[in-house]
Amino acid sequence: MSNRTWTGEELRQRFLNYFEEQHGHQLVQSAPLIPQGDATLLFVNAGMVQFKDVFTGKEKRDYTRATSSQKCVRAGGKHNDLENVGRTARHHTFFEMLGNFSFGDYFKKEACQMAWTFLTEELGLDRSRLTVTVFGGEEGYPPADEEAERIWHEEVGVPMEQISRHGADDNFWQMGETGPCGPCTEIHYDRGKVEGAFGGDDPEGDQVLEVWNLVFMQYERHDDKSLTPLPAPSVDTGMGLERLAMVMNGVASNYDTDLLRPMITFCEEKLGKTYTSSDSDDDVAMRVIADHARTTVFLMGDGVLPDNAGRGYVLKAIMRRAILFGDLLGFDDVFFKDACMVALDLFKKAYPELEKSRSLIEKAAVSEEKAFRATLRRGLERFAQVTDGLGKGDTIDGESAFDLHQTYGFPIVMTELMAQEKGFVVDKDGFDKEQKKHGDVSKGGGLGVEGAADIYKTLRQDLGATSFTGYETQQGEGTVVALLRVDVTEEEQEVTDKKGKTKKKKVKVETLVPTDKLNKGEKGRVLLDVTPFYGESGGQVGDTGALSADGLDVKVFNTTKESELHVHHVSVVEGSINKGAKLTANVDEQRLAGIKRNHSATHLLHLALREVLGDHVAQKGSVVEAKRLRFDFSHFEAVTDEQVAAIEDRVNQLILDNGERDTEEMNIDAAKAKGAMALFGEKYADDVRVVSMGPSVELCGGIHVERTGDIGCLRITTEGPLAAGVRRLEAVTGPEAFAFARAQGAALKQAGQLLQAKDEQVPSRIEKLQAELKDAEKELTRLKQKAAAAAASEAVSSAIEVGGVKVLAQNAADVDGKGMRDYADKLRDQLGSGVVVLGKALSDDKCTLLVALTKDLVGKLHAGNMVKELAAVVGGKGGGRPDFAQAGGSDPSQLDAMLGKVESVVQAQL
C-alpha cells in the first residue's frame, strides 16, 4: 500500500463506482435515518435496512444487485454505542456503511471475489496482512461453511493459514429470532503496531481489525428454531467507511481521518489546545464533540429535532453530552452550532440535503445549547450533591436522577454516562417510576389492527399496486380483488394509570381475516383494482363515500394507503360483497372539495411561513381535513401577532392572485432542480409528482384545487408551541373561514352589548374593568387579613400548655388553602412562644397539614420530625425545617384524630 492520503470522499466514491460501473450494481441513494415503515427501529443502523422487505420477498424491485453508502446511527434502544464514543478508536453514534447486495442474483463465490479484488487491487492493500474468518459450525446451527472456506482458498487464492473458523457469535447472522439468516465471512486487516491510540499501544486489541463483513442469507429460521433453505439465497455486505479510511491511511483511530479530524481541529483552534490522540480528558472531550456534531447534523438533516420523547430525545441527549464536554473542555459560551457547521461543510457534497437544512440546524443547535446552559452549572452542582459520599458501585436513586432530568435538563442517558465515569450506577427502574408518576413519558400508538402490515405487503406482492384515478374523477368502476373481514375480540391487557399503578383491563382487539365475501352488517376492508378513493397519506385524510352495485349498498367511512394499495374501510349496509364483483365507486365530492381547499392552503402556508419567518422553517407534519387544516413547522421562538398577520396576508394575497395549479410528473433530480420542496425524512421514488401554485412548488401526491382562488380565503385560528423547536398552526378556509370571522364578529358584538360600548371601545372598557377588579381584589385581601388576625386572636385563647409550651392545634377548614402559611404566622405572633399545628381537607381524598414553631423553641422541638409523625395518621408523609414543615395526606377523615395526637407528639419530643 502506498503512502498516499485517502479522503473519505474518495474511498466512498471508489467503492460505489467499483460496484456500479464494473459489476452492474444499481446505485441506490442512502435512505433517511428515520426508518420507513419499520416501527421496530429507532434509526436506520445498517445498510440492509432499506432492503429488508426485498430480502424477505415482500417487495420486488427492478434490479437484483445494488450498492449504497448508507447513513447509520447507533444511539438509543438496543443499538447504543453512546457510552463508548470518545473513549475508543472506532465507536460512533453516526457512521457510513458501504455495502453491496444481491437479491437472489450472485452468491458466495462472486461476493468473495469482488470484495478481495476491491481491497487488494483497487485499494492496494497488502494481501499478506489480510485474514479471513468463516463460520465453523455450532450446535443448533448449520454445519461449518466449508463452501466459503473452499472459495476463499481455491477460487480467490487466500492461503489456508490466513483462514480461520469461528462460532455463531462471530460468524452467523440473523435478522431476528425468526426470519432470514445465514453464515457470514469477515475480512480482517493486520495494521501492525498501533501507535498513538488512546491509552497506549492498541488498548482495544485492534491491531487485527475487521474491515468487511459478508453475510450469506441462505436459511430461514422458524418459530420452532428449525432452519430451512431460502429459495433465493442473497448477499448482504457491510464495511464501515470510517474504519476503511483509518486502515487506508495507517492512522491510529477513526478520529485521525478527514471524516472526523476537522471538528477536532475546530476545537483546537478555538481554544488554543493541542489534540494528542490520548485518553486525556481534553482529547476525550474533543472526540465527543467531533462525533456528536456530525450526528446532530445528519439527524437534523433528516428532520429529527431535539425533543423529550422518541428520536428527538436521543438527539437531545447527544447534543447535551457534546455541550457538557465542551463546557468541561473550556467553551464558556455557545459553540456547538459552529462545530456542527464544520461537519455540515464536510459532508454537504455527498449529502446535499444537509445544505438545505443549514439554517434549521444553526437555529436548533443555538436554541438547544442556550436552553441547556441555563441550567448546566446548577445541574452539575446538583449531580455533585447527589453523588457526595457515594463509593464505586453505589447507586444514584431514581428520584434524584429524575430531578436532574426534570429540573436541570439532564437526559437519563447523560446522567447514566456521568455516573459510569465516576463508577456509580443509576436506579433506572426508580427513574422510570418517577417519570410515570409525573406523566413524562411518551405513549406510542399501536397499529390499530393486529398483523395488518404483513397482510398488505403480501397482497401488494400478489396484486400489484392499486390504479388510482382520483386526480381526474371522483366516480368510477373497479373489480374487487381482495376482501378482509374485521373480527373483534376482547383481550385482557395490563395498563398503567396516572399514578403508575398497573392493572388488568379488557380491551378490544381487531384482526383482519381474508375472506371471499362480506355480508350485511359486517365491517371490513375492500381492495379494488381501480379506484377514485384517495388513501390517507401526506397529511391528507382518506376519502369517504359509497360502493354500490345492484342490491348492494356499502358505506366507505375511510380510505388508507398501505404498501401502494388503496384500502377502503367499509361497512355493508345492504346486500353482500363478493370477491371478483364489479362495483361502482362514488367519492363524497362535497367533503373532498373542503379537503382540496385545505391541502392547497397548506402549500401556500408553507411558502408564507418561510418568507416571513426564514428559510429554516420546514414542515414537521400536517393534517388536512374537510373543515380545517393543521400545520406543524420548525421554528425556535414565539411567532408575534404581527408575523401571524403577515403570514395570513401573504396566503390571502396568493389566493387573490388566483394562480393556476400545475401538476407534473418528473424525475426526482429534475424536481429538485426546479426548486420543489421535499419533506424531511420522506422516501421518494425516482419519479415524483410536483404541484406548483404560483411561487409554491412542492413534491406532493395529494389532491388540490384548480386555481388558488378556489380556496376562497384563509384565517389562522390558533398558533403556538408544540415541542422544542416545533410550533403548530391551525387554520380554516372557504366557508369555514367565513363562519369563523362571523363568529368572532358576533362575540365582539355581544361583548360590546354587555359592556355597553361600541365595538372599537371594547378593549379600553375591558382594561378599565380589569383595573377596577385589581383594586377590589386588593381591598378584599386587606379585609381577609384583618379578619384572619381577628380569628387568630380568638383562636389563641384555645391553646393548651404541654410541658410549659403553648400548643395550638386547629382544623383550618375556613382558611383558604393558599393562606394557611400566613394564618400560621399570625397564630405564632399571637402566641409569642409556642407550637402551631393546622390541618385542612382539600377534597375527599386529599388534605394538608403544617407545623410552625416560634424561634425560641427551635432546638427543643423539630417541626419536620413532628409533621412526619402526624402525616402518617392521615395517610401521608412529609418533612421540613426545624421551625416550619408541611405535608399532604390521602385520608381527610382522620384530621381530627391527627389533631388529637399533637399533644402526645409534643410531649414525646420534649
Side-chain angles (χ1 to χ4, degrees), residues 315-385:
L315 174 58
K316 175 178 280 197
I318 288 170
M319 295 176 74
R320 293 196 165 192
R321 184 172 185 246
I323 295 162
L324 170 64
F325 273 95
D327 186 78
L328 298 174
L329 186 62
F331 285 108
D332 54 10
D333 200 358
V334 174
F335 77 95
F336 191 56
K337 177 262 291 184
D338 294 329
C340 288
M341 290 306 101
V342 173
L344 189 151
D345 289 334
L346 183 62
F347 290 95
K348 65 183 180 182
K349 180 181 177 183
Y351 299 97
E353 66 269 21
L354 301 181
E355 181 61 43
K356 293 180 180 178
S357 306
R358 180 182 291 272
S359 177
L360 172 69
I361 296 167
E362 285 182 324
K363 289 181 179 292
V366 170
S367 175
E368 185 61 28
E369 182 163 5
K370 284 182 176 178
F372 186 40
R373 280 190 176 274
T375 57
L376 175 58
R377 191 61 47 211
R378 291 189 296 118
L380 291 172
E381 290 171 359
R382 173 65 177 146
F383 182 81
Q385 291 172 358

Side-chain angles (χ1 to χ4, degrees), residues 211-387:
V211 176
W212 206 339
N213 186 13
L214 283 62
V215 177
F216 305 128
M217 285 192 272
Q218 60 187 110
Y219 301 103
E220 182 170 6
R221 189 178 290 279
H222 304 282
D223 290 330
D224 62 359
K225 304 302 180 185
S226 64
L227 292 167
T228 55
L230 287 171
S234 299
V235 174
D236 159 28
T237 85
M239 176 163 58
L241 177 61
E242 293 80 3
R243 195 176 294 194
L244 179 62
M246 174 174 64
V247 166
M248 291 304 299
N249 289 294
V251 292
S253 82
N254 293 352
Y255 293 93
D256 296 306
T257 71
D258 74 322
L259 295 167
L260 286 154
R261 192 62 171 82
M263 285 76 83
I264 291 176
T265 302
F266 160 81
C267 295
E268 290 179 301
E269 292 174 349
K270 287 292 182 181
L271 297 175
K273 297 195 173 189
T274 301
Y275 177 73
T276 60
S277 194
S278 72
D279 61 353
S280 69
D281 290 343
D282 280 359
D283 281 5
V284 169
M286 284 190 255
R287 289 192 290 269
V288 168
I289 293 166
D291 174 274
H292 291 5
R294 185 174 68 157
T295 304
T296 296
V297 164
F298 275 96
L299 282 175
M300 286 196 197
D302 277 347
V304 181
L305 289 176
D307 199 356
N308 289 324
R311 298 181 179 96
Y313 183 74
V314 176
L315 174 58
K316 175 178 280 197
I318 288 170
M319 295 176 74
R320 293 196 165 192
R321 184 172 185 246
I323 295 162
L324 170 64
F325 273 95
D327 186 78
L328 298 174
L329 186 62
F331 285 108
D332 54 10
D333 200 358
V334 174
F335 77 95
F336 191 56
K337 177 262 291 184
D338 294 329
C340 288
M341 290 306 101
V342 173
L344 189 151
D345 289 334
L346 183 62
F347 290 95
K348 65 183 180 182
K349 180 181 177 183
Y351 299 97
E353 66 269 21
L354 301 181
E355 181 61 43
K356 293 180 180 178
S357 306
R358 180 182 291 272
S359 177
L360 172 69
I361 296 167
E362 285 182 324
K363 289 181 179 292
V366 170
S367 175
E368 185 61 28
E369 182 163 5
K370 284 182 176 178
F372 186 40
R373 280 190 176 274
T375 57
L376 175 58
R377 191 61 47 211
R378 291 189 296 118
L380 291 172
E381 290 171 359
R382 173 65 177 146
F383 182 81
Q385 291 172 358
V386 168
T387 57

Side-chain angles (χ1 to χ4, degrees), residues 791-848:
S793 180
E794 183 180 344
V796 165
S797 62
S798 63
I800 62 173
E801 281 204 12
V802 179
V805 174
K806 292 179 185 177
V807 178
L808 176 58
Q810 182 183 358
N811 189 323
D814 296 329
V815 180
D816 180 79
K818 295 179 180 177
M820 281 183 65
R821 175 72 180 264
D822 291 337
Y823 184 53
D825 288 341
K826 287 180 172 62
L827 291 173
R828 277 196 296 192
D829 293 343
Q830 293 280 352
L831 283 175
S833 173
V835 178
V836 175
V837 180
L838 299 178
K840 176 182 174 63
L842 300 175
S843 65
D844 290 342
D845 60 356
K846 282 185 181 180
C847 61
T848 184

Side-chain angles (χ1 to χ4, degrees), residues 851-868:
V851 176
L853 310 182
T854 52
K855 290 185 178 179
D856 62 302
L857 294 177
V858 175
K860 294 181 181 179
L861 299 169
H862 193 289
N865 294 338
M866 290 174 65
V867 85
K868 186 175 182 180

Side-chain angles (χ1 to χ4, degrees), residues 42 63 128 183 350 449 454 496 510 564 593 741 750 778 822 835:
L42 201 60
Y63 49 85
S128 67
V449 179
D454 288 340
T496 304
E510 291 187 343
E564 296 185 296
Q750 185 180 9
K778 286 181 181 178
D822 291 337
V835 178

Side-chain angles (χ1 to χ4, degrees), residues 12-13 15-21 24-30 50-51 61 63 65-70 98-99 101 686:
R12 182 193 303 114
Q13 204 56 51
F15 178 90
L16 297 175
N17 289 346
Y18 173 76
F19 282 100
E20 181 186 21
E21 297 172 4
H25 287 61
Q26 174 69 40
L27 175 58
V28 180
Q29 295 301 313
S30 171
Q50 68 168 312
F51 303 116
R61 300 204 180 178
Y63 49 85
R65 48 175 71 184
T67 186
S68 69
S69 180
Q70 175 63 48
L98 303 172
F101 309 90
D686 291 338

